[in-house]
Amino acid sequence: MSRGDMAKPLLGHRSMEGDPSITPAASRTIGVLGSGDFARSLAIRLVCSGFKVVVGSRNPKRKAGLFPSAAEVTFQAEAVKKTDVIFVAVFREHYSTLCDLADVLVGKILVDVSNNTKINHHKESNAEYLASLFPACTVVKGFNVVSAWTLQSGARDGNKQVLICSNNQEAKRTVAEIAQVMGFTPVDMGCMSSAREIENIPLHLLPAWKIPIFLALGLFLCFFTYNLIRQVIHPYIREQKNKLYKIPIEVVNTTLPCVAYVMLSLVYLPGVLAACSQLYYGTKYRRFPDWLDQWLQHRKQIGLLSFFCAALHAMYSLCLPMRRSHRYQLIETAVKQAVEKKMNIWVEEEVWRMEIYISVGIIALGLLSLLAITSLPSIANSLNWREFSFIQSTLGFIALVISTLHTLTYGWSRAFDENQYKFYLPPTYTLTLLVPCTVILAKVIFSLPCIQQRLLRIRRGWEKGRYVKFVLPSATAEYSSGETSSNV
Ligand code: NAP
């Protein structure tokens, strides 16, 4: 290596001041057409990020007071003349009214930030339409996935991706740099044909939540019907007692924990199935079936819905003593005991059962809250891989075990009481235990050293049937590992 090479820094440092092709943020002027909500928030964020901002309005005098004093508010044509990069913060319907500016816009970069009200609303995307109106400009699609509120809340409120596409690489790079200086993460979505997809993104309603929500609703419906039969229909048919009043609170409150508990176990079940598949095929390189893949990807949403149901269960339970029905029942019991001259009503076993039941329930809810909080991107980003995996995997599994204790202390010995089998249907809690106990049992089996070691080796890349060289201490001969699998 020559002396000259040694003098160079090891890591190439791209100085914004040194590179004439890159204008430092503070000296670059950005134009904004429009003075609405988005334009205002954008201007504030641009000013805070060190840019000079010039706003183009049809009525600058009236609108100037709405913008920070550092931003210049002028007529549209005046604003456009002062900058090369212009954000078009105007609705698509009004693009044609900007055609008078065509001459002053020649050669400039137009950033289309617009959204539609319906998916695939128009034949061509808004950005392509803008490009067709101004063929002498370079159009870049971007910033539409960011709301006016996000722009105002600043970079401290979690990082946000800005999807960008254009047919011009240079223009795309310029807009990406502006996004970066503003504290966003630019994502290159390719050429202008992606604009339609980018414009559809803000219109999708919870795409990752559909399956988990249907799953939660399905479970809720099943358990609700089961509890309704046991708590309302059975007493009506057998004893002609009207227990319909139980539907709004009691039946719902016995259904919610069932859904929460089963959903929590469904967060950990796909991991168990994936481990079984890896152990069976002796490799981690075999693709999981699509349904398992989908399931693994939806674990966060399933977990959050489990937390939601558990939180509702806690609130319903706190409100149980407030009900009129509860007060009447309490007074009725007291009167009965007085008539029967019963003095000691303390049942030691019941007291202990309730104390333990409530205590483990609170701990389980606390752990679920922790899991829910750490699944938020802004919190998850602040954790390293080990911390995240400890909370989501280890503490999550502990939450499942504690929830099982909560369920068992609730049920106590009722599973062995004949009177609890209404229409021969077992108590609901015994049904809910099925999947969680399977998951816990599988996890215990996987933690046995012989299985754990094998799983660890597989996850580090070891494969069954792969030729492995090893040398016996007593001989120098080489053997193959002997394990083969036709599946791998
Ligand atoms: P807005 O509050 O209604 O503002 C639109 C602005 O367009 C007006 O203030 C007006 O400013 C200007 N304009 C220019 N020519 C016009 C004409 N012929 N008729 C009416 N107005 C005209 O809307 P916005 O919420 O800021 O949204 C602006 C764009 O940003 C839209 O394309 C929207 O899809 C997009 N966007 C908005 C958000 C958001 O959170 N609001 C998020 C993402 C994307 P002057 O009167 O000063 O000319």
Side-chain angles (χ1 to χ4, degrees):
M1 202 182 273
S2 69
R3 274 184 75 87
D5 284 336
M6 289 291 284
K8 284 181 193 165
L10 284 175
L11 294 174
H13 178 69
R14 205 150 144 245
S15 160
M16 301 252 307
E17 282 156 31
D19 187 347
S21 68
I22 301 170
T23 317
S27 63
R28 177 172 261 162
T29 304
I30 308 288
V32 180
L33 280 180
S35 62
D37 295 337
F38 193 82
R40 257 193 324 271
S41 305
L42 182 67
I44 293 170
R45 184 75 174 252
L46 284 166
V47 166
C48 292
S49 308
F51 292 100
K52 286 178 186 158
V53 177
V54 53
V55 179
S57 168
R58 291 169 303 164
N59 194 342
K61 266 191 187 163
R62 223 180 79 199
K63 303 290 174 73
L66 302 171
F67 286 83
S69 53
E72 183 188 345
V73 183
T74 179
F75 287 102
Q76 290 176 332
E78 284 302 310
V80 168
K81 278 181 202 160
K82 293 185 175 174
T83 170
D84 288 335
V85 183
I86 300 135
F87 283 80
V88 184
V90 171
F91 283 103
R92 176 194 169 115
E93 294 74 41
H94 304 133
Y95 282 177
S96 55
T97 64
L98 302 175
C99 284
D100 296 345
L101 305 170
D103 290 342
V104 272
L105 281 172
V106 172
K108 313 232 162 170
I109 297 172
L110 297 183
V111 186
D112 182 293
V113 301
S114 65
N115 280 319
N116 290 317
T117 44
K118 282 186 211 153
I119 290 178
N120 296 332
H121 195 176
H122 303 280
K123 237 181 179 177
E124 63 189 341
S125 67
N126 298 348
E128 285 167 315
Y129 173 60
L130 187 67
S132 71
L133 290 178
F134 300 96
C137 299
T138 308
V139 174
V140 177
K141 179 82 210 179
F143 284 84
N144 64 308
V145 293
V146 185
S147 68
W149 183 83
T150 307
L151 279 167
Q152 282 210 20
S153 53
R156 282 156 288 139
D157 198 32
N159 207 350
K160 176 99 187 169
Q161 290 185 335
V162 168
L163 311 182
I164 292 169
C165 78
S166 174
N167 288 338
N168 185 308
Q169 286 299 328
E170 192 53 37
K172 198 160 53 177
R173 196 170 69 93
T174 305
V175 176
E177 277 168 8
I178 294 170
Q180 219 157 18
V181 176
M182 289 167 78
F184 293 113
T185 308
V187 179
D188 188 346
M189 294 290 286
C191 56
M192 195 49 104
S193 53
S194 306
R196 204 178 170 79
E197 188 192 335
I198 299 178
E199 282 168 15
N200 283 338
I201 288 173
L203 299 173
H204 288 301
L205 182 68
L206 309 170
W209 286 83
K210 265 185 201 148
I211 297 174
I213 286 175
F214 279 123
L215 183 70
L217 285 178
L219 281 172
F220 187 88
L221 221 74
C222 291
F223 282 119
F224 184 85
T225 314
Y226 194 84
N227 288 327
L228 190 78
I229 294 171
R230 282 176 50 83
Q231 294 177 25
V232 179
I233 299 177
H234 181 268
Y236 183 76
I237 292 179
R238 286 287 153 90
E239 302 158 41
Q240 274 71 52
K241 278 187 183 163
N242 183 354
K243 302 272 183 187
L244 282 172
Y245 74 90
K246 285 188 170 186
I247 294 175
I249 294 188
E250 256 179 73
V251 179
V252 172
N253 194 33
T254 40
T255 303
L256 283 170
C258 300
V259 180
Y261 182 40
V262 174
M263 292 282 280
L264 183 63
S265 68
L266 292 181
V267 173
Y268 296 96
L269 184 60
V272 166
L273 296 177
C276 287
S277 156
Q278 288 175 338
L279 282 170
Y280 180 75
Y281 292 110
T283 179
K284 70 166 184 175
Y285 298 111
R286 192 189 157 96
R287 259 190 71 86
F288 296 131
D290 277 350
W291 59 266
L292 185 55
D293 231 19
Q294 286 273 324
W295 193 352
L296 285 162
Q297 282 170 30
H298 285 107
R299 283 180 296 177
K300 174 180 156 180
Q301 288 80 4
I302 297 174
L304 285 172
L305 284 174
S306 160
F307 167 66
F308 175 68
C309 292
L312 282 184
H313 168 54
M315 298 221 280
Y316 269 102
S317 302
L318 283 175
C319 296
L320 286 179
M322 287 183 199
R323 295 169 308 148
R324 279 257 167 251
S325 57
H326 177 79
R327 285 186 208 173
Y328 291 149
Q329 277 167 354
L330 216 62
I331 295 167
E332 212 176 273
T333 317
V335 171
K336 257 189 202 165
Q337 278 164 358
V339 170
E340 289 168 16
K341 293 199 170 100
K342 265 191 191 170
M343 292 301 285
N344 191 6
I345 50 154
W346 185 277
V347 184
E348 189 76 14
E349 188 185 308
E350 270 301 292
V351 170
W352 273 102
R353 181 181 78 83
M354 274 317 266
E355 304 287 309
I356 299 169
Y357 163 68
I358 293 171
S359 175
V360 286
I362 293 169
I363 296 171
L365 185 64
L367 285 174
L368 280 182
S369 321
L370 198 66
L371 295 179
I373 291 167
T374 48
S375 73
L376 297 174
S378 50
I379 308 279
N381 288 346
S382 69
L383 302 171
N384 66 28
W385 177 82
R386 199 162 170 208
E387 289 162 347
F388 184 78
S389 123
F390 171 75
I391 294 172
Q392 293 295 328
S393 181
T394 314
L395 285 189
F397 180 66
I398 292 172
L400 183 66
V401 173
I402 291 178
S403 305
T404 306
L405 288 177
H406 180 62
T407 312
L408 286 172
T409 44
Y410 167 78
W412 210 246
S413 55
R414 279 185 235 185
F416 310 106
D417 180 358
E418 243 180 58
N419 296 328
Q420 293 295 324
Y421 286 74
K422 315 272 167 76
F423 293 135
Y424 302 105
L425 297 174
T428 323
Y429 85 94
T430 54
L431 297 185
T432 61
L433 282 167
L434 209 70
V435 184
C437 286
T438 311
V439 173
I440 293 171
L441 189 70
K443 287 261 189 192
V444 170
I445 294 172
F446 290 156
S447 67
L448 295 176
C450 54
I451 299 182
Q452 196 184 38
Q453 286 299 319
R454 192 178 167 88
L455 206 53
L456 269 176
R457 271 163 69 204
I458 290 171
R459 287 180 178 168
R460 286 196 188 149
W462 177 86
E463 282 184 280
K464 187 163 89 173
R466 203 179 55 184
Y467 182 81
V468 180
K469 278 183 180 177
F470 63 94
V471 181
L472 287 176
S474 57
T476 48
E478 286 178 356
Y479 296 87
S480 79
S481 71
E483 283 179 305
T484 53
S485 167
S486 55
N487 299 314
V488 183

